[in-house]
Amino acid sequence: MPYSTADLLEFHRRMLLIRKVEERLSQLFLEGTIPGTLHQSLGQEAVAVGVCSALRETDVITSTHRPHGHALAKGVSLPSFIAELLGKSSGCCKGRGGSMHVGDITKGMLPSIAIVGGGIPIATGVALAFKRRREDHVAVSFSGDGSVAEGIFHEAVNMGAIWDLPVLYVIENNRYAASTHYSRNTKLEQLSGLSAAYGIPGVTIDGNDVLEVYETAQTAVERARAGQGPTIIEAMTYRITGHNRRDPCNYMPEDERDQALEQEPVKRFEEVLLRDGHAEASLLAAMQTELESEIEAVIETALAAPAPDPEEAFRYVYAEPVES
Amino acid sequence: MKKLAIAPALRDGLIEEMRRDKNVFCMGEDISIPGGWGGVFTVTLGLEEEFRDQLIDTPIAEAGSIGLGIGAALAGLRPVLDMQYSDFLFLAMDQIINHAAKLRYMSGGTLSVPLLIRAPVGATGRGAQHAQNMERFFTGVPGLKVLCPATAYDAKGLLKAAIRDDNPVVMFEHKLLYGSKGIGAATGEVDASSEIPDEDFIVPIGKGIIRRPGGDVTIVATLLMMHLALAAARELASQGIEAEVIDPRTLAPFDWPLLEQSVEKTSRLIIVEEGPKTGGWGAEVAASLGERMMECLTAPIQRVASPDIPVPFAPELENAYRPNVRQIIQAAESLVALG
């Protein structure tokens, strides 16, 4: 597939934004500025950017407890994303969600579903609504390798399949369900092999190659828009940080980690851009500096925003106020 | 006006709402299979021709079906899920409690989940796994509404209100009150039919009703137990005890003012609940009333509920499980005897 230099730089910029935001969040968390916990997507940027670049704003995604990359790739605004992690009313969920529930339906992202597998039927139901209304939107369920051991995976994918719903099941295989390697959770060598159980296509791809992810997603999206039903995409990647910020990853073999760092998507794509002459090192450095200063400005504004009024806690439980 | 039992009244309600709004559709197991049953209790019987596009027969996949319903509701449709037996809700608890009930809040009020789940309850000779009263598990869940219609009028009116409501709603229907014919017919049925107006109406969610006025003791009960409470009240009247029977109709939100006014008048309260006594919705009513109205009460609050056992099968054992009219009468007599 031919890409313009501008296209390729945009893929890079999107991945770099996620990388730089995650790095900065990590610092903010360690210094105690971000409350709660943090599940980061460092090393998995190509899956989020590759898939979401194949989508329109009106297409809808569901994400997981590790949603930062998906949110930024789908277009949730950086200020509302950062403010949400800091627990501010100006956050994309008005401070009700936090790191594990970021989302913004106006950008086509439901609040992230932090119960493993919980978002898979919901994405399928959104696809059901699209099909019933004869709209050509698609829904995408992002889930991890751990999610395929959940019963809900089977129920949801089966219904998506039997009704030919416009949905993509993207299994982001970062090798570890929390600390458990996926080979301990399945006899399958490739999780895309599950597709045989549902009679739908399934592919396993290099999830650290943003262009391979993009092209695979595009094919599946076209198929879904044409009414031909779902696809399972297993994107092989690697979580180069811990399950959460406090995880030292002692269960990851050192050579495996070293190899994964060699293969991490941002550096890999940067090398391709330089090798093929799409950009000078100085241009990429300038892009990074620009992103970093944008991120700093956003963080500064978010930190200065007032904390929510405790009275606010009672709002939005029901669709209209209920008399007590 | 026409007199209808609950099953045909619900059917009419679904017909009217599906005609009014094409976003309304029903999903469930065996609800519109040609030559089939129209749902286990026949509520959707005969609808498959007019509403072919608004009825979806699902595989046996309760969590998945409710999850799909949530997704469809988030995307603007109004799904009505048929659960066959409310016991199967346990399979879908994650989707209902973690997702349906919380997504509006988690989204900071930008999303809503207009989803109705219809779920039959009650001990009816089916043993431990097709007979539970599940209300207790849903009444303390912020974000959910819980309905318990005892009459055909309320069943239809609450169904229509719930379909138009923008929140996730669970409506419990009692198997002995349906008045279903054919495959859905139950032995030991109690007549819950009502005169149903021809014109469009709803029963507002959160408003209870005084089924029988009385000044001596308040009896609060839902579903089948409401009918037993009325029977007990009639017998108590022959002994000179006037019981006021309150049917809250919805357990969440609960019509506290209605119950409080009644207890202010009678100063005695009996709660009748089918289902184990420990941790039932009746416990919450007793605690809340006790907290707020201790000084009005002249006697301890009484609960008439099932013992803390699974629902047994043998009719003699099931009868020992299900609260009865005699127990309600005895509870009232004992409260009045305290002065």
Side-chain angles (χ1 to χ4, degrees), chain A residues 50-294:
Chain A
V51 172
C52 291
S53 297
L55 302 177
R56 304 170 183 158
E57 196 167 79
T58 44
D59 297 326
V60 171
I61 67 168
T62 61
S63 180
T64 69
H65 58 287
R66 197 179 305 286
H68 302 168
H70 306 140
L72 294 172
K74 191 65 177 66
V76 175
S77 83
L78 187 61
S80 74
F81 170 85
I82 296 285
E84 187 60 35
L85 267 70
L86 291 169
K88 306 288 186 169
S89 297
S90 49
C92 52
C93 305
K94 302 194 179 79
R96 306 298 192 285
S99 163
M100 284 199 278
H101 301 311
V102 289
D104 179 351
I105 195 59
T106 66
K107 304 296 178 190
M109 182 182 188
L110 291 172
S112 305
I113 304 287
I115 303 290
V116 173
I120 306 174
I122 295 176
T124 310
V126 170
L128 176 71
F130 292 158
K131 180 163 177 155
R132 290 185 65 76
R133 286 200 298 250
R134 296 184 172 79
E135 294 165 344
D136 73 342
H137 311 319
V138 303
V140 176
S141 150
F142 285 101
S143 70
D145 44 287
S147 72
V148 305
E150 291 277 8
I152 196 70
F153 179 93
H154 171 68
E155 293 190 23
V157 179
N158 186 49
M159 280 187 273
I162 57 178
W163 297 326
D164 290 324
L165 299 181
V167 54
L168 274 57
Y169 300 108
V170 178
I171 303 167
E172 208 161 328
N173 188 344
N174 67 12
R175 320 293 166 110
Y176 290 92
S179 68
T180 306
H181 193 267
Y182 77 99
S183 61
R184 299 167 75 109
N185 292 338
T186 176
K187 289 278 270 188
L188 293 173
E189 280 180 25
Q190 295 191 327
L191 299 177
S192 58
L194 287 163
S195 67
Y198 310 107
I200 58 173
V203 285
T204 294
I205 58 168
D206 180 351
N208 284 355
D209 179 340
V210 70
L211 298 183
E212 185 173 340
V213 176
Y214 172 69
E215 287 165 24
T216 307
Q218 262 207 331
T219 305
V221 165
E222 275 167 27
R223 200 185 131 78
R225 287 201 212 285
Q228 293 171 325
T231 303
I232 292 177
I233 299 172
E234 181 192 26
M236 300 307 296
T237 181
Y238 199 83
R239 199 189 67 210
I240 60 178
T241 53
H243 169 65
N244 59 27
R245 266 322 314 168
R246 294 191 174 90
D247 175 11
C249 302
N250 293 335
Y251 48 85
M252 288 176 164
E254 212 168 298
D255 54 337
E256 180 189 91
R257 280 183 64 81
D258 290 345
Q259 204 187 346
L261 285 169
E262 285 300 307
Q263 293 297 315
E264 66 93 347
V266 179
K267 195 173 90 184
R268 244 174 84 179
F269 199 61
E270 192 174 274
E271 282 164 9
V272 170
L273 292 176
L274 294 170
R275 184 196 66 202
D276 294 350
H278 292 290
E280 301 284 331
S282 58
L283 186 133
L284 297 183
M287 183 190 277
Q288 179 168 323
T289 310
E290 196 181 319
L291 285 172
E292 282 168 347
S293 52
E294 182 192 346

Side-chain angles (χ1 to χ4, degrees), chain A residues 84 92-98 100-101 103-105 109-130 132-135 152 155-156 158-160 162-163 165 169 312-320 322-324, chain B residues 22-25 27 53-77 91 94-95 98-99 101 103-112 141-145 165-168 207 252-254 256-257:
Chain A
E84 187 60 35
C92 52
C93 305
K94 302 194 179 79
R96 306 298 192 285
M100 284 199 278
H101 301 311
D104 179 351
I105 195 59
M109 182 182 188
L110 291 172
S112 305
I113 304 287
I115 303 290
V116 173
I120 306 174
I122 295 176
T124 310
V126 170
L128 176 71
F130 292 158
R132 290 185 65 76
R133 286 200 298 250
R134 296 184 172 79
E135 294 165 344
I152 196 70
E155 293 190 23
N158 186 49
M159 280 187 273
I162 57 178
W163 297 326
L165 299 181
Y169 300 108
E312 277 275 294
F314 300 95
R315 289 188 70 189
Y316 310 128
V317 179
Y318 288 94
E320 75 275 314
V322 173
E323 292 163 28
S324 56
Chain B
K22 294 295 170 202
N23 286 324
V24 178
F25 70 102
M27 273 177 90
D53 291 343
Q54 284 165 280
L55 297 168
I56 299 179
D57 289 293
T58 68
I60 301 172
E62 290 79 8
S65 300
I66 288 184
L68 261 72
I70 294 167
L74 287 166
L77 299 185
L91 290 157
D94 171 58
Q95 287 298 320
N98 277 327
H99 309 302
L103 274 162
R104 177 171 180 79
Y105 195 73
M106 280 156 56
S107 74
T110 57
L111 291 166
S112 58
V141 180
L144 284 186
K145 295 186 177 183
D165 198 286
D166 283 336
N167 295 289
K207 295 288 173 211
F254 193 88
W256 292 110

Side-chain angles (χ1 to χ4, degrees), chain B residues 119-144:
Chain B
V121 298
T124 52
R126 291 172 170 91
Q129 297 178 336
H130 288 65
Q132 296 166 88
N133 279 71
M134 301 284 288
E135 302 92 296
R136 62 183 50 231
F137 299 109
F138 297 89
T139 46
V141 180
L144 284 186

